[in-house]
């Protein structure tokens, strides 16, 4: 009898982690190009509210996109959460995404989702010109990203060419002004001593430390520093209206066609587009919402004003990530 009782207890203990209210616990594998520090809280909130366990593989968006294309149908991922439209487009171009339900797509404006319905934006992010107000006056600020190759900015500009957001920006520039002019700008920046940083945060830190005078990050990195220190001595602005340097990109998500738990995956996408999650992106990450009904963040340029500054560009045209990587290698930046 004791033996049978012990067997029963051991069996119960083994089953306990996967039983919740009589149902098997759900799991979801997510490939996230979004930084852990930015999105972990909202992922944890989803887990708490739904009981779904999310296994997150954090990494560089470009590298994760390459991994998905290599893994193909054997990928364990159910979702790919990228920090730019280019990577989403590249994966979609390989036919790896499943089409999202029309009702889900309808939550997001047409210019913030895939034209064929294979991915949707989860938040918006703007490219900006960050600068040191101690060493650069507003009158000295360049009006165009192309002016950064001028001699006056030699050894004074920071960029992050290995970062997916920067690569998406270069992809957009290629689509807007052509391959030749983009290559000319990249070579000009390299010759002018542009300093390379691993990602956006070190650019902001380098500006504060006096290593550089100008930088090319996404808009929200500085706002995170300002949240903890309102006197942080870095500022940011936009270039003149319609300049390629003012790209408004998105973070977005797509569901893998090969996934066997698409129903659970759709729960996660739906959650990211909920008012609760959208407010998190606006209030805590300082990004722009992609759905209505969100309280604006006073630290952000109103979206209506921002859209007057951005270049006219279709995010669906940013799928040629491989072409951008090839160009960056050709120039000797990667």
């Amino acid at each position: 009898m004791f033996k049978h009782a012990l067997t029963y207890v051991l069996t119960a203990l083994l089953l306990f982690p996967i039983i919740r209210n009589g149902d098997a616990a759900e799991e979801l594998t997510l490939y996230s190009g979004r930084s852990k520090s930015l999105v972990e809280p909202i992922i944890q909130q989803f887990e708490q509210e739904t009981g779904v366990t999310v296994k997150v593989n954090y990494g560089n968006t470009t590298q994760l996109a390459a991994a998905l294309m290599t893994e193909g149908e054997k990928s364990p991922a159910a979702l790919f959460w990228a920090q730019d439209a280019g990577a989403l487009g590249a994966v979609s171009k390989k036919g790896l995404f499943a089409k999202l339900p029309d009702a889900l797509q309808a939550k997001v404006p047409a210019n913030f989702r895939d034209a064929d319905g294979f991915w949707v934006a989860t938040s918006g992010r703007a490219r900006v010109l960050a600068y040191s107000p101690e060493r650069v006056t507003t009158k000295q600020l360049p009006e165009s990203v192309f002016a950064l190759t001028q001699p006056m900015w030699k050894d004074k500009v920071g960029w992050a060419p290995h970062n997916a957001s920067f690569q998406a920006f270069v992809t957009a520039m290629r689509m807007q002004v052509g391959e030749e002019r983009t290559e000319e700008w990249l070579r000009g920046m390299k010759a002018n001593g542009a300093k390379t940083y691993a990602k956006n945060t070190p650019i902001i830190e380098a500006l504060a430390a006096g290593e550089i005078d100008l930088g090319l990050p996404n808009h929200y990195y500085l706002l995170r520093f300002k949240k903890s220190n309102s006197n942080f001595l870095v500022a940011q602005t936009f270039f003149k209206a319609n300049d390629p340097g003012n790209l408004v990109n998105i973070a977005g998500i797509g569901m893998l066609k090969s996934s066997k738990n698409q129903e659970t995956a759709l729960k996660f996408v739906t959650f990211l587009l909920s008012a609760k999650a959208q407010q998190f992106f606006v209030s805590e990450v300082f990004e722009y919402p992609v759905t209505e009904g969100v309280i604006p963040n006073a630290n952000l340029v109103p979206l209506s004003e921002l859209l007057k500054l951005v270049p006219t560009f279709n995010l669906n045209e940013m799928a040629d990530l491989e072409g951008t990587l090839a160009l960056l290698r050709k120039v000797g930046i990667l």
Side-chain angles (χ1 to χ4, degrees), residues 39-290:
V39 301
E40 186 178 43
I42 201 65
I43 293 174
Q44 291 176 338
Q45 189 165 354
F46 170 77
E47 290 181 313
Q48 292 168 2
E49 292 189 11
T50 63
V52 176
T53 298
V54 183
K55 294 183 176 179
V56 189
N57 179 8
Y58 290 103
N60 176 281
T61 284
T62 303
Q63 293 173 352
L64 289 175
L68 285 168
M69 289 186 277
T70 300
E71 294 167 354
E73 294 183 356
K74 296 181 180 179
S75 177
L79 293 163
F80 178 36
W81 194 3
Q83 67 173 23
D84 69 83
L88 290 166
V91 175
S92 180
K93 194 176 179 180
K94 294 293 184 179
L96 300 178
F97 284 148
K99 189 171 182 179
L100 297 171
D102 291 344
L104 198 56
Q105 295 180 51
K107 293 177 180 288
V108 180
N111 57 327
F112 285 154
R113 66 174 189 257
D114 177 45
D116 296 318
F118 290 105
W119 56 261
V120 293
T122 54
S123 56
R125 5 199 355 255
R127 299 292 294 178
V128 292
L129 175 67
Y131 66 96
S132 167
E134 290 186 308
R135 298 183 297 280
V136 181
T137 67
T138 54
K139 289 184 179 180
Q140 292 175 311
L141 290 171
E143 292 189 347
S144 172
V145 70
F146 294 109
L148 296 178
T149 60
Q150 294 176 353
M152 69 178 293
W153 303 119
K154 184 171 179 59
D155 300 323
K156 295 181 179 180
V157 182
W159 63 359
H162 291 83
N163 182 263
S165 293
F166 178 86
Q167 292 167 3
F169 152 68
V170 173
T171 302
M173 181 184 284
R174 290 173 54 223
M175 300 302 107
Q176 293 169 73
V177 303
E179 198 84 8
E180 185 175 335
R181 192 177 183 192
T182 302
E183 180 176 343
E184 180 183 355
W185 179 75
L186 290 169
R187 291 189 182 281
M189 289 288 287
K190 183 181 178 183
N192 211 33
K195 296 184 179 181
T196 296
Y197 295 90
K199 49 187 180 180
N200 289 292
T201 299
I203 291 177
I204 303 299
E205 293 171 336
L207 285 164
E211 295 177 16
I212 52 177
D213 291 350
L214 303 175
L216 294 173
N218 286 334
H219 78 275
Y220 54 86
Y221 286 92
L222 175 58
L223 298 181
R224 294 176 69 197
F225 280 91
K226 294 281 191 181
K227 181 180 180 180
S228 57
N229 179 9
S230 59
N231 296 317
F232 191 76
L233 284 175
V234 176
Q236 62 188 23
T237 187
F238 292 96
F239 295 104
K240 64 183 179 182
N242 301 315
D243 189 81
N246 294 343
L247 174 70
V248 172
N249 204 341
I250 55 94
I253 197 164
M255 179 174 65
L256 277 300
K257 186 167 58 177
S258 57
S259 173
K260 293 181 173 59
N261 56 345
Q262 293 186 359
E263 183 177 346
T264 305
L266 288 174
K267 287 182 183 178
F268 186 75
V269 179
T270 301
F271 179 77
L272 293 184
L273 298 180
S274 69
K276 183 180 298 182
Q278 288 292 299
Q279 194 65 61
F280 169 82
F281 294 132
V282 172
S283 302
E284 301 299 325
V285 189
F286 302 107
E287 293 181 314
Y288 287 93
V290 294

